[in-house]
Every structure is written in structure tokens, then in C-alpha cells.
Amino acid sequence: MSPIALLWLTSVVRLSAGILAVQDPSVPIDAAKAVQYAQSALKAADAHDVDPFELVGVARNESLFRADEIGPDGKDCGIMQTRITGSHYSCKKLRTN
């Protein structure tokens, strides 16, 4: 295994463990979903030069890792509670794309 692949795998495992550690007991996350979230956070963090643990923290705080979460006013969508004000997208459209 190459050093880069080993680093990626180690990062996924560490981030997945962090997700499982901070999950809300009322909204359990299985290990496979934690790995998917970890991989997505690592890719987004790399693409936008941010800390993947920060992305996980926002997702935990904003939605408890519920991808289908919609804010109380209907304008905050998804796991990161992305605000759609001023956008031509709706929460429903974002969920289907």
C-alpha cells in the first residue's frame, strides 16, 4: 500500500471514529454511514482547504448527521444546513440532486 493510500485510510478511520464518538444517542449512525461521511468530509476539506474535523463538527451541531434535515423556516437544508435564500434551488431540489 502506498504511503498516500495509507494516510487516506488512517484519516478515514480516525474521522469515522470521531463521528461515532460524537453522535447523538437519539440519532444513531451505523459504522458504514460514518465511513461515508468521513470520506465525504475528507474530499470536501481537501477541495476547499478546510479542516475535515471542522466539517464534521458543523454537521453534528447543525443536523445531528441527518442528511434529510430541514430547518424550521424551510430554508436550511441537509447535513450542513445549507441556506438556500437567494438561490434558485429548493431543499427538495437539493435533496434529489
Side-chain angles (χ1 to χ4, degrees):
M1 183 178 283
S2 74
I4 292 175
L6 185 59
L7 179 62
W8 173 260
L9 181 61
T10 302
S11 297
V12 168
V13 169
R14 286 181 60 224
L15 201 52
S16 299
I19 290 168
L20 292 171
V22 300
Q23 69 181 317
D24 188 303
S26 68
V27 186
I29 301 169
D30 63 21
K33 185 59 80 172
V35 169
Q36 289 177 343
Y37 289 157
Q39 290 171 336
S40 296
L42 286 166
K43 288 177 186 174
D46 187 46
H48 300 286
D49 197 28
V50 296
D51 185 346
F53 286 95
E54 186 173 349
L55 295 177
V56 167
V58 170
R60 165 54 168 89
N61 187 57
E62 293 294 329
S63 70
L64 301 177
F65 299 110
R66 293 181 296 199
D68 60 348
E69 183 74 5
I70 296 177
D73 65 358
K75 295 184 179 183
D76 300 313
C77 309
I79 194 167
M80 297 293 287
Q81 290 293 281
T82 304
R83 189 92 173 150
I84 60 162
T85 304
S87 171
H88 60 277
Y89 291 102
S90 66
C91 287
K92 183 178 180 180
K93 190 170 184 178
L94 287 174
R95 283 196 312 259
T96 59
N97 289 337

